Amino acid sequence: MTLGTQAQTVTVRVPGKINLGLSVGPLREDGYHELSTVYHAVSLYDTVTVQPSDSWSVHASGPWGEEVPTDERNLALVAARTLAKRRARKAKVHPVRIDIDKHIPVAGGMAGGSADAAATLVGCRELWGLDHLENDLLEMIAASLGSDIPFLLHGGTAIGSGRGEHVTSVLARGELHWVLWAGEGLTLSTPEVYAECDRLREAAGETPAAPQPGGALMTALRRMDTDEVAAALHNDLQEAAISLQPVLAEALAAGLDLGARAGLVSGSGPTVAFLVGSQTEAIDLSVGLAANGPTGDIVRAVGPAPGAQIIHQRTSPEPTRARPDTDRPGPLGPVIG
Ligand code: ATP
């Protein structure tokens, strides 16, 4: 035995996502819709800290902290407990206290709950010393917990298929600048938006085809030309989200009037993402929206952002068996703190 170190607290930073393209296919027998989406992680982050505790608990702070459920419904808690159950026999797994610093709008279509779940999986893997848990297995557990979670482990820009859980990276160079608008007190339930989309399609006599990733969007992303990307942005859920929350049409119109290259509802909404050409345009648009748009939180962000990453950990000495470095699979992201 040699003296090693054991993590005592692990802090993980995780981005929110927007969908650059979202094609919704027919309803499947399992109740989900077949999707083809282009996920894009943006630099609006939650920070999740896990530490050993006598009991399981979750606490939330930050601009959206009050909206986060801190009981058994919290996806971060569900993720920690699921990982503990699956790996309990292989390592020293113990209850954790989870602290979420919440900046991603809650029920905003930016997958904030899924982001916290992804961060918790990465944090608990480190805290519990589950070095043997390969990324593939972590992704499988992630997919069983929620459609967006595998993407939030990866980050970047990626195509999601199935119900969104099958993720393939998109090669895209360069950055896109965004202004995000989240209406004050505005939330939308994802199942209700899908139901509204089905209702609107039925009323119009439309039968959805099998969803495909947009070729024009892929080409635009390869070139990373802002105006080409702007022209190719697409969300099949936008009409349904606007039908349930008409203020979204007002927000979209205000952003476009103020010079955004494009605007679209993020996922199931109600967050609206405006694409602009530079940081200067982003500042101008944020100022304009704050003065002339509907009331809401306005945040500037860039994408693509990296997925869940450990940014800080505190360790304490503990007698542990020495192992060669080669036994350790690489972390999902580099330790940058
Ligand atoms: P979806 O991923 O379903 O599209 P969303 O991105 O619109 O959802 P989330 O912020 O993930 O929105 O919240 C969806 C629901 O999940 C909310 O009703 C919220 O109460 C619940 N929830 C559970 N855990 C969390 C969490 N850690 N952070 C935010 N919301 C959570």
Side-chain angles (χ1 to χ4, degrees), residues 168-259:
T168 314
S169 291
V170 170
L171 287 177
R173 278 178 297 135
E175 279 183 343
L176 295 171
H177 293 266
W178 300 94
V179 174
L180 307 168
W181 175 89
E184 197 175 285
L186 208 60
T187 58
L188 275 173
S189 139
T190 304
E192 281 173 23
V193 177
Y194 276 96
E196 180 68 359
C197 175
D198 290 339
R199 192 189 68 76
L200 291 172
R201 282 174 167 176
E202 205 179 311
E206 282 172 23
T207 317
Q212 304 277 350
L217 181 56
M218 290 299 116
T219 309
L221 285 170
R222 263 195 300 278
R223 286 205 268 265
M224 213 39 127
D225 178 286
T226 303
D227 287 323
E228 251 183 80
V229 174
L233 295 175
H234 170 76
N235 181 1
D236 273 355
L237 292 178
Q238 181 156 308
E239 194 188 339
I242 291 173
S243 156
L244 295 172
Q245 290 284 8
V247 69
L248 297 181
E250 212 185 299
L252 282 162
L256 293 174
D257 275 356
L258 289 160

Side-chain angles (χ1 to χ4, degrees), residues 69 73-75 100 102 105-114 116 148 190 268:
R73 288 168 301 166
N74 192 293
L75 276 176
I100 302 171
K102 191 80 196 162
V106 174
M110 293 191 69
S114 300
D116 298 342
D148 297 335
T190 304
S268 56

Side-chain angles (χ1 to χ4, degrees), residues 17 19 46 48 58 60 64-65 67-78 98 100 102 104-117 120 146-149 152 187-191 193-194 237 266-271:
K17 62 84 188 159
N19 302 75
D46 281 354
V48 178
V58 61
W64 288 86
E67 318 295 325
V68 175
T70 51
D71 55 18
E72 301 297 319
R73 288 168 301 166
N74 192 293
L75 276 176
L77 196 54
V78 174
I98 304 167
I100 302 171
K102 191 80 196 162
I104 303 172
V106 174
M110 293 191 69
S114 300
D116 298 342
T120 303
S147 309
D148 297 335
I149 306 178
L152 292 154
T187 58
L188 275 173
S189 139
T190 304
V193 177
Y194 276 96
L237 292 178
S266 171
S268 56
T271 304

Side-chain angles (χ1 to χ4, degrees), residues 229-322:
V229 174
L233 295 175
H234 170 76
N235 181 1
D236 273 355
L237 292 178
Q238 181 156 308
E239 194 188 339
I242 291 173
S243 156
L244 295 172
Q245 290 284 8
V247 69
L248 297 181
E250 212 185 299
L252 282 162
L256 293 174
D257 275 356
L258 289 160
R261 311 285 182 101
L264 92 167
V265 170
S266 171
S268 56
T271 304
V272 174
F274 294 105
L275 180 58
V276 290
S278 65
Q279 201 182 359
T280 311
E281 284 182 30
I283 293 168
D284 289 347
L285 180 57
S286 332
V287 171
L289 271 177
N292 301 311
T295 318
D297 279 2
I298 298 152
V299 179
R300 292 188 294 278
V302 291
Q309 280 190 325
I310 296 173
I311 54 165
H312 179 258
Q313 55 184 308
R314 184 174 306 137
T315 54
S316 69
E318 194 195 74
T320 170
R321 195 178 295 278

Side-chain angles (χ1 to χ4, degrees), residues 17 19 21-39 75 86 111 114 138-152 158-168 190 194 211 237 267-268:
K17 62 84 188 159
N19 302 75
L22 178 54
S23 300
V24 178
L27 188 61
R28 307 188 318 194
E29 280 187 2
D30 63 4
Y32 289 98
H33 289 77
E34 192 68 19
L35 297 183
S36 175
T37 188
V38 180
Y39 290 117
L75 276 176
R86 302 240 180 137
S114 300
L138 201 70
E139 279 167 30
M140 266 176 52
I141 296 173
S144 75
L145 289 166
S147 309
D148 297 335
I149 306 178
F151 170 69
L152 292 154
I159 296 174
S161 57
R163 54 182 168 78
E165 81 280 26
H166 302 299
V167 175
T168 314
T190 304
Y194 276 96
L237 292 178
S268 56

